[in-house]
Amino acid sequence: MNWDDLKLVDAAARMRSLSGAAKALDISQPQLSRRLKSFEDRIGARLFDRTPTGLKPTDAGLRLIPLADDMRKKAEAAARILPDLSGSALKVVRVAVDEVRARVLTDRFELLTGLLDGVELELISSHQHVNHQSRSIELQIRNCLPETDTLIARKIGELAYAVYGSADYVAKHPAARTPDRYKLCTWLGFAPDDLWYPSQMRWLETRLAQMPKLRSNTMTTLMNMTASGAGLCLLPVFMGDSNRELVRLTEPLAELTNVEHIIVHRDLRREPAVRQAMDAIAEVFRHMGPQLRGSSLNEPVAAAE
């Protein structure tokens, strides 16, 4: 049974004639008569008696007609609110990002906002896995895959890291340009408390002769300390290469090049604003792809736009 069948019953009951019901439904009378008889045959019950004065509901019809009437009224109510539904759809999409991914988006602010077309983004600082079930966050950008099948990951690019130092520091410490940099140079590292960059910290621990002299849990602070001449550090190549005070000392490090994903709950990916935000973010990462992956030291490094 479907609503198309019940519409025949409802129209016939209201109009009390096959011709009137056919006109109400904008179909021919023979077509309505055939469909109504076919429906009666399928359910095994006659719903109307054909009398000289019109259609008269049978006992079976009297049981079904009120239900068909209710369904028509609900369908009409749904049709009335359809034009307003777009106004109540989600317009603000909250994206959980750390400072590095936020920097990617803000570096291409005009491109990003031009693609959103009325959808607003809120960038929420977070280095932890957010609870998508609570719906307090619609999207998250991170480099690890979700651990539950209720979440979907969309690959949007890669993010590479390399070693950097200030031009002044490198000029005073020639070892910075050699593999001896891990033994002879001062290093800046990552704070172990509430660690936000565990892979980078482990990478340094396996190479440095001693603990870094200065540590921070934000890449922006590390970049600023490095630019001031405090020592060497690991930085995302798109940040380091765009800082004119820094010198890149290594190729992009393959072991620290991560695939970036947008994480979204299965149910929310059907929301138009969420799909639009995901497409816009993916386009920004695609546009930034060469900067995010880093060029070879033998190639010219493009300055950030």
Side-chain angles (χ1 to χ4, degrees):
M1 185 182 296
N2 59 50
W3 172 230
D4 286 337
D5 294 327
L6 292 180
K7 280 196 292 189
L8 305 175
V9 177
D10 174 72
R14 287 187 292 114
M15 301 303 167
R16 296 292 174 144
S17 72
L18 293 178
S19 60
K23 185 177 180 180
L25 297 176
D26 196 25
I27 60 176
S28 69
Q29 181 176 330
Q31 183 182 7
L32 183 141
S33 182
R34 287 194 305 269
R35 289 176 56 187
L36 183 59
K37 184 178 185 305
S38 175
F39 178 58
E40 290 176 323
D41 290 343
R42 289 204 309 275
I43 65 175
R46 193 176 72 259
L47 300 175
F48 297 95
D49 288 327
R50 280 70 169 172
T51 72
T53 57
L55 299 176
K56 179 180 179 181
T58 64
D59 289 344
L62 290 173
R63 294 178 63 187
L64 185 59
I65 288 169
L67 301 178
D69 182 65
D70 286 343
M71 291 186 67
R72 174 180 55 81
K73 290 176 180 176
K74 290 179 179 178
E76 290 173 348
R80 285 193 295 272
I81 70 168
L82 284 178
D84 299 326
L85 291 182
S86 61
S88 60
L90 185 67
K91 295 297 184 183
V92 178
V93 178
R94 293 155 295 190
V95 186
V97 287
D98 66 2
E99 46 154 351
V100 173
R101 281 90 181 177
R103 171 75 181 267
V104 175
L105 300 180
T106 55
D107 273 4
R108 294 296 184 271
F109 174 78
E110 290 187 4
L111 173 62
L112 178 65
T113 55
L115 294 169
L116 291 174
D117 189 25
V119 176
E120 300 175 15
L121 281 192
E122 289 183 358
L123 302 183
I124 310 300
S125 179
S126 175
H127 291 256
Q128 308 299 324
H129 300 330
V130 300
N131 181 7
H132 289 265
Q133 299 287 0
S134 70
R135 306 301 168 87
S136 60
I137 294 289
E138 282 75 43
L139 303 175
Q140 184 172 27
I141 304 175
R142 68 187 199 209
N143 59 33
C144 51
L145 294 172
E147 299 176 353
T148 171
D149 59 5
T150 62
L151 301 179
I152 294 174
R154 174 178 174 180
K155 179 181 175 180
I156 54 175
E158 294 181 338
L159 179 62
Y161 285 76
V163 176
Y164 290 85
S166 71
D168 288 343
Y169 183 91
V170 172
K172 296 174 182 177
H173 302 82
R177 294 187 179 275
T178 75
D180 288 337
R181 66 176 70 93
Y182 304 107
K183 296 185 297 182
L184 302 179
C185 292
T186 300
W187 277 80
L188 313 177
F190 303 92
D193 296 333
D194 299 322
L195 182 61
W196 293 350
Y197 300 100
S199 299
Q200 289 79 1
M201 184 174 182
R202 288 193 296 269
W203 190 90
L204 285 178
E205 286 176 344
T206 62
R207 288 163 175 79
L208 299 187
Q210 56 184 348
M211 287 288 290
K213 299 297 184 182
L214 292 171
R215 295 181 289 275
S216 175
N217 62 358
T218 73
M219 285 292 178
T220 301
T221 301
L222 285 175
M223 183 174 67
N224 292 339
M225 290 194 300
T226 305
S228 72
L232 307 183
C233 79
L234 289 172
L235 288 174
V237 291
F238 82 96
M239 292 176 63
D241 287 352
S242 65
N243 191 315
R244 297 183 181 278
E245 298 179 10
L246 297 180
V247 176
R248 173 140 60 94
L249 302 170
T250 67
E251 298 287 358
L253 301 164
E255 57 269 43
L256 292 180
T257 299
N258 300 310
V259 176
E260 299 291 296
H261 302 92
I262 303 177
I263 310 298
V264 62
H265 194 280
R266 285 184 179 276
D267 295 341
L268 280 179
R269 66 175 173 163
R270 296 192 296 269
E271 183 72 40
V274 171
R275 292 201 307 270
Q276 190 170 344
M278 291 177 68
D279 290 343
I281 292 171
E283 177 59 20
V284 168
F285 271 76
R286 187 198 67 78
H287 191 268
M288 285 277 288
Q291 287 82 21
L292 298 178
R293 293 188 298 271
S295 60
S296 168
L297 288 176
N298 296 321
E299 300 173 9
V301 176
E305 299 176 4

